[in-house]
Amino acid sequence: MKASGRKYQIAVIGGDGIGPDVVQEALKVLTATGTPFDSKRFDISGERYLRDGETLSNTTVHELRKFDAILFGAIGTPEVPPSILERGIILKLRFDLDLYINMRPVKGVAPGQTKGHEIVVIRENTEGSYVGEGGVLRRGTDYEVATQGSVNTAFGVARCVRYAFELAASRPRRHLTLVHKTNILQYSGDLWQRIFDQVAVEFPTVTTAYFHVDAACIYFVNDPHRFDVIVTDNLFGDIITDLGASISGGIGRAASANLNPMRSNPSLFEPVHGSAPDIAGKGIADPTAAILSAALMIDFLGENEAATRITAACQEPAFGSTKEIGDTIASRVSRS
Ligand code: IPM
Ligand code: MN
């Protein structure tokens, strides 16, 4: 029981496709840990949008603020054109709740490596190209002009970089790598590099490195051991964490935490994967990423022992259908 004697209040957004199924297994495993919680489901999805035109209202965001955390599955249906659900739901949640850190563990044994890697990517989650700066002129004509900017604020970069340094300082290796593309992005890259160097002075125990994002991709595959904590912008973080998943046992095991470290709003926990409409309803999706996201959630809430039990239970492989994998992990958690 929480120190206050209260149960954790968890908002659950299953979403579309395999989302509701994997979240179901995550809740099963959470129950098996004995962590006291109540959950409330929210009908937010592409399916809902097709039904009544609603993505995510301000009223719903307001209601979500009352919860301790949000467990999120995946959103997306092929019938809805790109960007409507992304901007209307997941980005709205990240921006409105000021979830400025996207923490993505990258842990496993990369193909061709004998030793495992244990990396954490800290992706800035409220700025960059995700802000939607830009516009279009003469759309659909031969003279169309499209611009898509990237917004980087000193405040936004500094709070993200500082979080990454704090995390690196707390880990055994104490090593932080900035990943950007300073050789070509002369304005935003320069801002990131200067702030990184300034904050580094506050953390004399942390060693630092810098790689351009393209080179970082090579190292992810060929030499992931050189990384400990990585800090990077929103779009680079999106891309390298998919690569990170693929060197760590696949996208079915990649978890993420969208954090408001100030705890002024609930944080949101979600698998890195999407709704996978091609396998939806078949009962074959791997729920491990959602289960590991639930572990990140209770760890952030302070239930560190229960979180460790879940991550340990996900180490050994589990086989079968979505439900069978959930059952196997849940039974390991309750036995341990
Ligand atoms: C992710 C996803 C999202 C992103 C999409 C769905 C908006 O790819 O969480 O990595 O680009 O951040
Ligand atoms: Mn992504």
Side-chain angles (χ1 to χ4, degrees):
M1 195 61 94
K2 280 179 79 178
S4 61
R6 195 171 70 89
K7 292 180 179 175
Y8 295 105
Q9 302 299 311
I10 310 296
V12 178
I13 302 173
D16 296 302
I18 62 171
D21 298 351
V22 295
V23 158
Q24 186 63 35
E25 300 312 308
L27 291 171
K28 182 192 285 175
V29 172
L30 210 52
T31 304
T33 64
T35 307
F37 72 96
D38 289 326
S39 60
K40 180 174 174 184
R41 273 163 218 278
F42 283 78
D43 180 19
I44 301 168
S45 63
E47 239 174 71
R48 158 96 192 263
Y49 173 76
L50 289 170
R51 226 186 311 123
D52 65 12
E54 179 154 316
T55 47
L56 171 62
S57 68
N58 290 333
T59 317
T60 306
V61 174
H62 188 71
E63 200 187 329
L64 287 168
R65 287 180 193 273
K66 296 182 205 136
F67 287 80
D68 293 311
I70 303 166
L71 188 61
F72 189 95
I75 283 186
T77 40
E79 299 83 16
V80 182
S83 115
I84 294 176
L85 301 172
E86 290 82 351
R87 289 214 170 273
I89 300 176
I90 186 66
L91 296 191
K92 184 171 167 61
L93 285 166
R94 289 176 184 171
F95 294 169
D96 286 8
L97 299 176
D98 201 22
L99 307 175
Y100 61 89
I101 297 298
N102 196 323
M103 186 189 65
R104 299 188 157 180
V106 172
K107 193 176 163 195
V109 184
Q113 301 284 331
T114 44
K115 199 169 118 241
H117 55 268
E118 219 171 297
I119 307 169
V120 178
V121 176
I122 300 300
R123 161 186 177 189
E124 200 292 322
N125 211 31
T126 52
E127 299 195 343
S129 2
Y130 280 70
V131 165
E133 191 218 39
V136 62
L137 279 174
R138 311 189 203 103
R139 187 169 181 275
T141 73
D142 289 348
Y143 306 98
E144 180 163 344
V145 181
T147 64
Q148 190 90 48
S150 170
V151 175
N152 298 261
T153 70
F155 162 77
V157 173
R159 66 181 180 172
C160 173
V161 164
R162 184 162 283 111
Y163 182 89
F165 268 103
E166 277 162 10
L167 176 65
S170 75
R171 288 162 58 90
R173 274 182 67 188
R174 295 198 290 258
H175 186 60
L176 179 64
T177 304
L178 171 64
V179 168
H180 208 282
K181 185 74 184 170
T182 56
N183 56 342
I184 192 75
L185 301 177
Q186 73 266 55
Y187 310 122
S188 59
D190 177 50
L191 176 67
W192 274 84
Q193 183 74 69
R194 269 183 294 117
I195 290 181
F196 184 82
D197 294 343
Q198 279 162 21
V199 178
V201 177
E202 297 168 30
F203 295 88
T205 62
V206 177
T207 57
T208 61
Y210 169 83
F211 295 119
H212 295 319
V213 63
D214 45 355
C217 290
I218 295 179
Y219 296 139
F220 256 51
V221 174
N222 288 347
D223 188 17
H225 304 111
R226 66 172 67 216
F227 297 115
D228 179 20
V229 180
I230 293 175
V231 65
T232 191
D233 88 348
N234 209 338
L235 184 57
F236 294 146
D238 175 50
I239 298 166
I240 66 168
T241 53
D242 266 26
L243 181 58
S246 75
I247 60 155
S248 310
I251 195 80
R253 302 182 59 86
S256 81
N258 295 257
L259 303 177
N260 177 281
M262 315 301 291
R263 297 177 193 264
S264 35
N265 297 313
S267 292
L268 180 152
F269 302 81
E270 56 169 341
V272 173
H273 65 68
S275 58
D278 51 332
I279 58 162
K282 297 189 178 159
I284 56 169
D286 186 346
T288 308
I291 293 169
L292 288 169
S293 301
L296 292 176
M297 177 175 81
I298 56 169
D299 193 54
F300 188 71
L301 293 175
E303 301 292 333
N304 315 90
E305 181 273 327
T308 308
R309 263 195 288 150
I310 299 181
T311 28
C314 292
Q315 288 311 330
E316 315 160 47
F319 302 100
S321 65
T322 306
K323 193 180 157 300
E324 284 162 343
I325 296 175
D327 287 342
T328 303
I329 296 173
S331 73
R332 285 177 192 161
V333 160
S334 47
R335 268 191 280 109
S336 57

